[in-house]
Amino acid sequence: METRQSFSPGLEDIQFTAFTEGKIRWWFGMLDVDKDGLMSQGDFHLIADRFVKEYDLTGEKALEIRDWLTRGWEIVLDMDKDKETEQEMRCFIPLVIKMGEDLQVGKKISQDDFTQAFGQLIQHSPALAKSTLQKMVSAFFDIFDHDRDGFIMRDEMVVAMRCFGYDDPDMVEMAFASMDLDKDDRLSRKEYIDGWLNFILGQDKQHAFVATFAPHLTQL
């Protein structure tokens, strides 16, 4: 069996193009699980509740999932930095900082605000944009890997996508297959993270995720 390595996009490919903007807007729609046009802690509570129901979780396990999802933005944006670094971030990516702070205090974020914030992040520092998305996707990997064996299996992917409102098994299968580059019927952390990085930040309009989830973007 031929084994193919998974590569994330290079920094030179990370640009805030119309194609990238379209994918970020699609991503917002995925996170806006209650479909009210806004993103808030309520969306992450709803995802957490779906996971608890899907796996019949109780006690500490249920609390752990809820904590991961409701504190995810705080962890990813990591405001616990030294003062110099924090001041630099507030100067160059104020929209990103404001979005994180608003989410933490229960405010709702519009699609435009979300898109503009990530656009600002990409334009300021492709490297920081990539590392921020890596943290976020890695956190979701830990949630989706329900049995904690270090891999996401097909059934775990089905549950994960259902919790985000994607109930079409064929669509989930196409997404899984596009990330499973070594064809061993499971997704490693690297395969999963690189798959999402390539989709959100890459410029390949033929990427399988684009064809599966957002085919209209191939025309941009």
Side-chain angles (χ1 to χ4, degrees):
M1 179 184 298
E2 180 184 359
T3 299
R4 291 175 290 172
Q5 284 187 298
S6 178
F7 296 99
S8 60
L11 297 183
E12 68 279 2
D13 296 321
I14 300 176
Q15 305 170 36
F16 190 57
T17 62
F19 181 49
T20 306
E21 179 180 346
K23 291 184 292 182
I24 291 173
R25 289 185 180 277
W26 175 89
W27 180 28
F28 175 92
M30 180 180 180
L31 296 174
D32 174 26
V33 292
D34 64 6
K35 304 306 176 188
D36 67 349
L38 299 167
M39 185 179 70
S40 68
Q41 285 192 12
D43 291 299
F44 298 109
H45 292 163
L46 180 55
I47 297 169
D49 288 344
R50 290 175 179 177
F51 267 95
V52 169
K53 183 178 180 179
E54 286 280 355
Y55 286 117
D56 194 23
L57 302 177
T58 58
E60 291 185 6
K61 196 72 175 178
L63 291 174
E64 181 182 358
I65 291 293
R66 288 194 174 101
D67 185 60
W68 263 111
L69 285 163
T70 56
R71 293 184 59 245
W73 285 95
E74 178 184 346
I75 294 168
V76 168
L77 294 173
D78 188 17
M79 287 302 297
D80 296 327
K81 300 179 180 294
D82 60 79
K83 289 186 177 180
E84 183 176 347
T85 302
E86 182 179 341
Q87 289 175 352
E88 180 180 350
M89 291 176 68
R90 289 185 181 280
C91 178
F92 291 107
I93 51 172
L95 296 180
V96 178
I97 301 304
K98 184 178 187 303
M99 181 177 68
E101 291 177 341
D102 284 352
L103 282 170
Q104 288 175 37
V105 298
K107 293 184 179 180
K108 295 188 175 185
I109 308 299
S110 71
Q111 185 187 74
D112 285 345
D113 288 342
F114 181 84
T115 304
Q116 290 168 11
F118 271 90
Q120 185 180 74
L121 178 60
I122 290 169
Q123 290 171 327
H124 168 62
S125 174
L128 183 58
K130 183 176 180 177
S131 66
T132 299
L133 186 57
Q134 281 176 323
K135 286 182 183 179
M136 188 177 302
V137 176
S138 184
F140 278 116
F141 180 93
D142 290 327
I143 296 170
F144 297 167
D145 178 21
H146 175 65
D147 60 7
R148 301 298 175 86
D149 67 348
F151 296 92
I152 294 177
M153 312 304 286
R154 270 188 170 79
D155 60 338
E156 291 172 328
M157 184 79 163
V158 168
V159 170
M161 296 305 288
R162 188 159 59 230
C163 289
F164 279 91
Y166 289 89
D167 295 319
D168 185 339
D170 292 334
M171 181 180 288
V172 176
E173 171 60 29
M174 289 175 67
F176 186 95
S178 74
M179 288 189 284
D180 182 22
L181 296 184
D182 61 7
K183 305 306 176 188
D184 62 353
D185 292 322
R186 60 185 186 176
L187 302 179
S188 67
R189 183 181 296 272
K190 178 173 175 54
E191 285 177 321
Y192 185 76
I193 292 175
D194 284 358
W196 279 104
L197 287 177
N198 275 309
F199 171 53
I200 299 295
L201 298 178
Q203 297 302 315
D204 180 10
K205 293 183 180 180
Q206 304 307 312
H207 190 284
F209 263 39
V210 178
T212 301
F213 292 115
H216 63 287
L217 296 179
T218 61
Q219 306 303 315
L220 293 178

